[in-house]
Every structure is written in C-alpha cells, then in structure tokens.
Amino acid sequence: MKTYSFFLCLAISSCSCQYQTVARGKKYSEASSSEYKLYFQDDQGNIVSPWHDVPLFTQTDRSNQTYNMIVEIPRFSQAKFEIHREHLMNPIVQDIEDAHLRYLPNLFPWHGQVCNYGAFPQTWENPFHEDEWTGLKGDKDPIDVCEIGSKPEPTGTVLPVKILGILALIDGGETDWKVIVMNSKEAAEKNINTLDDLGEKYPGLLESVRKFFRVYKVPSGKPENKFAYNGEVKDKALAEAVISFTHKAWKEMINNCSISGEDVGTFNTGNTQQGSACTVGREEARGEVDRQPAYDPVEAKLPDTVNEWSFLQSSASRRGAGIFQPFCLAVLVVTVLGGFSETVGQL
C-alpha cells in the first residue's frame, strides 16, 4: 500500500518555512485504525514536538515580545483538535468524548470556535500545584490561546502573536487561562498594542469572546463556566506573568519522563531538540510517525449534527440571554414578514 504524506508549510517569518506538518490517518474518522494525527517537523525534516520543541518566543524578535502560538482549532470551525499530552511527539488529534470525536456546537449566533484557538508551546498548567492568582490547580495542558485577528488560520499553523490580555476561566475547579492575542503582523498594521486599542477598533469583540467561553458547554448539558476576577479580561502585564509562570512549570516538567497522577493521566515529555533526560533520537521520532496509518486525503463524512445550530433555553443561560434575544427577534421578524409577503402574493 502506498503511503501518503501531507506537508503544510507554516511560515514563522516571511522568508522561510521553519515548520511543516505531517498528517497520518483520515481526518474526522471515528475508526481507531485510521485515527487522524498531525505531527510536526522542522525545516531539516526532523520530527519535533509542537509542545516541547517549538520555542515559546519567536526567533526573529530578540525582545521576547512576540510569541509562537500553535493553532489547534481554526476560527468558525467545530472539530475539537488539540495537542495530545500522552502520545510521543505530541501530535495534534481530535478530542474524544463519550467514545466519539468531539465537535464544538454552533451556539447561536456563533459558528463553532469564536477565535483561532490553540496553545503556547513550552508552557504547562501544572495540575499538581496551585497558582498564585486563583489558588487553584492547573488544567493539565499547555496554556490556551485565543487569537482574534481578522482571518482563520489552519490547524498546525505556528503563528507569531502579540499578547493583549488574559481571561481566568474556572473549569471543574481548575484554572483554565485563556490568553487573548492578535497575530503580530496584523497588530502592527492596525497599531493594536493594548486591550484599550482593541476595544476602540473592535468594540464588543472582547465581550463576545467572554460570553462564548462562559456558555459554550451548555448545549452538551454542562453548567456555565465561571471566571476569576468577575470575568474581567486582565491586561498584558498579568498575561505575561501567568505565561512566565507556566513556562517555568514546563521547564521543571521537561526533565521528568514519567509524570502521571490519579485523575490527570500521563504526560509525554519526549522531544528531539531539548537535550533533556526525555530527549529521543531522530530515528525513534521518525519511526513513531511512520508506524501510524498512512494519510488518507479523503476526509470522512461529518456527522449530520455538526452544522446544526444550538440555542440556549435553560435557566442557566439567563445571564447570557442578551446575546441571543436580538438575533432571535430579527429572525422571527424576517420569518413573519416573509410569510406575510408570500401570502399577499398568492391573493
């Protein structure tokens, strides 16, 4: 059987492609024998971990003000892709819930994810220690990032971004930070450097992002998410302090090759670039990729429910009802008027 490889060029700078993705399996396939995995390799063809080997800061900005974001879920898409904590070389895979692939709901008026969603490499929200801001333990993952630029970015993109602020979401008693960023090129072009700049140029955007993260799990039967700081999006200073804290936690984890715990699973710290106790050889890393099912470029059929809208109707959503009522009213008016016009036309 012929093996297919798929390489997506992801530019960190305008003059070179520093990372490519290597796909295996079949996208959206429910069969474990063809599970879709997206691995990373550098410009020398060496397999790398997007969690451990891609640097937190871009190499072109010596001031350490530009960060590398790993895009997992493109804006307005539904498949819940994420860096896998347990697999060697940490490929991006689609999350599984209740034995099925997970998709984000189209929570009216949004379609799928509200931003380009992903994570910062070389960070870790440590589930074994409480952070100093919320007094809660971390959610086990690299820190989450929400990029609010003007265009969707493909899964696997290594995107240089500018930090604007941070939202402290509390999920199941754990801290689940959401760093608010904009891709650095667009931020420079539009002179957006602070949350105030963002609010002036895009009024209402931050409020929409906050409302989305509060209610997006309600359609699956879960309660609304809570926030620290009364839901306030905090500024760049706190964001950078939290990122620094999670980067330090990652530095401590990268030399521990057997991290696990009850209710938190395991953490694979295998890498090819860090020279740590957990570094694996290039041949072993490549062998891990080559053992996976060949890439099938024909995507599996999506579930029929993926493109359906979800409307909040429970009492738990009353505080967010203002998001939906104007839109629902507009749809109702258009529907009524449309039906009236059709009736008149038949008389």
Side-chain angles (χ1 to χ4, degrees), residues 30 61 96 107 191 211 285 288 327 332:
E30 291 273 357
D61 182 358
I96 295 175
L107 189 52
N191 197 29
K211 288 176 179 176
E288 175 69 15
F327 293 93
L332 177 62

Coordinates of all heavy atoms in Angstrom, one line a residue, residues 30 61 96 107 191 211 285 288 327 332:
E30 N -13.8 8.1 12.7 CA -14.1 7.5 14.0 C -13.4 6.2 14.3 O -13.4 5.7 15.4 CB -15.7 7.3 14.2 CG -16.5 8.6 14.2 CD -16.6 9.1 15.6 OE1 -16.1 8.5 16.6 OE2 -17.3 10.2 15.8
D61 N 12.3 38.1 17.0 CA 12.1 39.2 17.9 C 12.9 39.0 19.1 O 12.5 38.3 20.1 CB 10.6 39.3 18.2 CG 10.3 40.5 19.1 OD1 11.3 41.3 19.5 OD2 9.1 40.7 19.5
I96 N -11.8 13.2 22.0 CA -12.8 12.2 22.1 C -13.6 12.4 23.4 O -13.0 12.5 24.5 CB -12.3 10.8 22.0 CG1 -11.6 10.5 20.7 CG2 -13.4 9.7 22.2 CD1 -10.9 9.2 20.5
L107 N -23.2 27.5 18.6 CA -24.0 28.2 19.6 C -24.5 29.5 19.1 O -23.7 30.5 19.0 CB -23.2 28.3 20.9 CG -24.0 28.8 22.2 CD1 -25.2 27.9 22.4 CD2 -23.1 28.7 23.4
N191 N -1.9 48.9 14.5 CA -1.5 49.6 15.7 C -2.3 49.3 17.0 O -2.8 50.1 17.7 CB -1.6 51.2 15.5 CG -0.7 51.9 16.5 OD1 0.3 51.4 17.1 ND2 -1.1 53.1 16.8
K211 N -18.4 36.0 26.6 CA -19.7 35.3 26.6 C -19.6 33.9 26.0 O -20.2 32.9 26.5 CB -20.8 36.1 25.9 CG -21.1 37.4 26.7 CD -22.1 38.2 25.9 CE -22.5 39.5 26.7 NZ -23.4 40.4 25.9
A285 N 11.9 9.1 16.7 CA 10.8 10.0 16.5 C 10.2 9.8 15.1 O 8.9 9.7 14.9 CB 11.3 11.5 16.6
E288 N 8.1 6.6 15.0 CA 6.8 6.8 15.6 C 5.8 7.3 14.6 O 4.6 6.8 14.6 CB 6.9 7.8 16.8 CG 5.6 8.1 17.4 CD 4.9 7.0 18.2 OE1 5.6 6.0 18.5 OE2 3.7 7.1 18.5
F327 N -31.0 38.7 18.0 CA -30.9 37.9 16.8 C -32.1 37.0 16.6 O -32.6 36.9 15.5 CB -29.6 36.9 16.9 CG -28.3 37.7 16.9 CD1 -27.7 38.1 18.1 CD2 -27.7 38.0 15.7 CE1 -26.5 38.7 18.1 CE2 -26.5 38.7 15.7 CZ -25.9 39.1 16.9
L332 N -37.2 36.1 13.8 CA -38.6 36.0 13.9 C -39.3 37.0 13.0 O -40.3 36.7 12.3 CB -39.1 36.2 15.4 CG -40.6 36.1 15.6 CD1 -41.1 34.8 15.2 CD2 -40.9 36.4 17.1

